Amino acid sequence: MVTRLKRRLGQLASERRGMLMGFLPAGFPAPDEFRRVAQAAFDAGLDALEVSMPGPAPALDGPLIQAAAERASAHLDGIPAALELAARSRSTDDDTIVALAYASTFDGIATDAFFDALVAADIDAYLLPQHPMAQQLALGAQAQARGIEPVLFLYRQEDLPLLAASAIDEPVIYLQSADLRTGGVFNPAKAQERLTELAEALGERRYHVCVGFGVRGPDEVESLMATGADGAIIGTQLVRAAEEGPGAVTALVDAVAPALVGRTLRSAEEVIR
């Protein structure tokens, strides 16, 4: 089974265009507004939307996202409600939703039940940014067997050998840039260094990598497109735009879109995937 996420990544590679992934807490600013801003983002050209589950956001997400997560959680009664809202916020059936679950999410739900909830809501991709890489890989193999796409959160260089040796098919990787918190200052040289380390570790293996943390707009995205990244992830700026409404979200996506065109492919093989 080819997930929406892999389908979109393949399409974008054939077009030599980068993926734009955004982030919003489920239900932010409020459920109806969430649907409107998510649909505005997709209509403007957003390729995938990361949606965090109800509950407190950790320190790595920065104060703005932490406050947004707290506000959003007051509107939703549990994970199934959050996933259903996310699914109903697509503009078309092909729009990709990535369910983000923090470590605290699993205080109230087992991983098998979480996967069941993803399938029931027709959400076929997820991200576990606080899980150790070994655990992400073990769960990812189980998820892929069920037709669910794991997005592997990579932030430690020492995890590269684990990733390279894993049985995950054509992994999709969220690479944390140099900054330790979202919304910080983007460091293009460090991001390029981390992308190079990843490429060297994975060698000839097929993979997809999107870079987040500190990515604010077209300047950062253009830098990433020139260094072999498959996509860029904008979180804090999208949350800020969502607070203003659909018009601000559309303007943000429109501003970034030109920077995604003409990205540097890592190999000629990507063109014919």
Side-chain angles (χ1 to χ4, degrees), residues 1-7 115 118-119 122-126 139-150:
M1 174 183 175
V2 180
T3 60
R4 290 180 179 90
L5 181 57
K6 285 278 182 69
R7 202 158 52 232
F115 290 160
L118 292 177
V119 172
D122 193 26
I123 305 292
D124 55 14
Y126 72 93
L139 292 172
Q142 298 172 30
Q144 282 195 331
R146 299 183 61 173
I148 306 169
E149 197 67 57

Side-chain angles (χ1 to χ4, degrees), residues 116-173:
D116 288 343
L118 292 177
V119 172
D122 193 26
I123 305 292
D124 55 14
Y126 72 93
L127 172 69
L128 306 178
Q130 291 185 288
H131 282 57
M133 179 57 70
Q135 194 172 8
Q136 289 187 62
L137 294 171
L139 292 172
Q142 298 172 30
Q144 282 195 331
R146 299 183 61 173
I148 306 169
E149 197 67 57
V151 177
L152 303 169
F153 189 76
L154 178 63
Y155 61 98
R156 301 194 319 165
Q157 185 181 21
E158 51 264 44
D159 286 335
L160 287 170
L162 279 176
L163 181 58
S166 77
I168 298 291
D169 180 46
E170 201 172 321
V172 180
I173 300 159

Side-chain angles (χ1 to χ4, degrees), residues 18-226:
M19 168 173 274
L20 180 60
M21 187 182 297
F23 164 84
L24 288 174
F28 179 82
D32 288 343
E33 286 83 354
F34 174 85
R35 289 188 65 190
R36 284 195 286 269
V37 297
Q39 288 171 355
F42 282 127
D43 288 343
L46 189 77
D47 296 297
L49 180 63
E50 227 183 283
V51 179
S52 64
M53 297 297 95
L60 65 86
D61 269 335
L64 189 145
I65 289 179
Q66 290 177 60
E70 181 178 0
R71 179 172 162 187
S73 295
H75 300 300
L76 294 172
D77 184 21
I79 291 170
L83 294 174
E84 181 185 356
L85 175 64
R88 288 191 289 112
S89 301
R90 294 185 174 106
S91 283
T92 72
D93 184 62
D94 284 337
D95 289 334
T96 298
I97 304 288
V98 180
L100 184 154
Y102 298 116
S104 61
T105 302
F106 298 97
D107 292 342
I109 189 171
T111 51
D112 281 347
F114 178 65
F115 290 160
D116 288 343
L118 292 177
V119 172
D122 193 26
I123 305 292
D124 55 14
Y126 72 93
L127 172 69
L128 306 178
Q130 291 185 288
H131 282 57
M133 179 57 70
Q135 194 172 8
Q136 289 187 62
L137 294 171
L139 292 172
Q142 298 172 30
Q144 282 195 331
R146 299 183 61 173
I148 306 169
E149 197 67 57
V151 177
L152 303 169
F153 189 76
L154 178 63
Y155 61 98
R156 301 194 319 165
Q157 185 181 21
E158 51 264 44
D159 286 335
L160 287 170
L162 279 176
L163 181 58
S166 77
I168 298 291
D169 180 46
E170 201 172 321
V172 180
I173 300 159
Y174 182 135
L175 181 65
Q176 182 182 358
S177 73
D179 210 305
L180 297 178
R181 301 178 83 180
T182 60
V185 177
F186 184 71
N187 183 334
K190 188 63 177 179
Q192 183 169 4
E193 178 184 325
R194 301 209 71 202
L195 285 163
T196 299
E197 291 170 349
L198 177 64
E200 290 173 350
L202 268 61
E204 296 301 313
R205 283 196 65 177
R206 288 185 175 185
Y207 67 95
H208 309 274
V209 56
C210 297
V211 180
F213 282 58
V215 180
R216 295 173 177 270
D219 291 345
E220 294 84 5
V221 172
E222 185 174 5
S223 170
L224 290 172
M225 293 302 98

Side-chain angles (χ1 to χ4, degrees), residues 9 12-13 16-18 225 228-230 260-265 270:
L9 284 163
L12 294 172
R16 293 183 64 91
R17 184 165 68 87
M225 293 302 98
D230 296 290
L260 296 161
V261 178
R263 73 178 176 92
T264 300
L265 301 180
E270 286 188 279

Side-chain angles (χ1 to χ4, degrees), residues 56 74 134 253:
V253 177

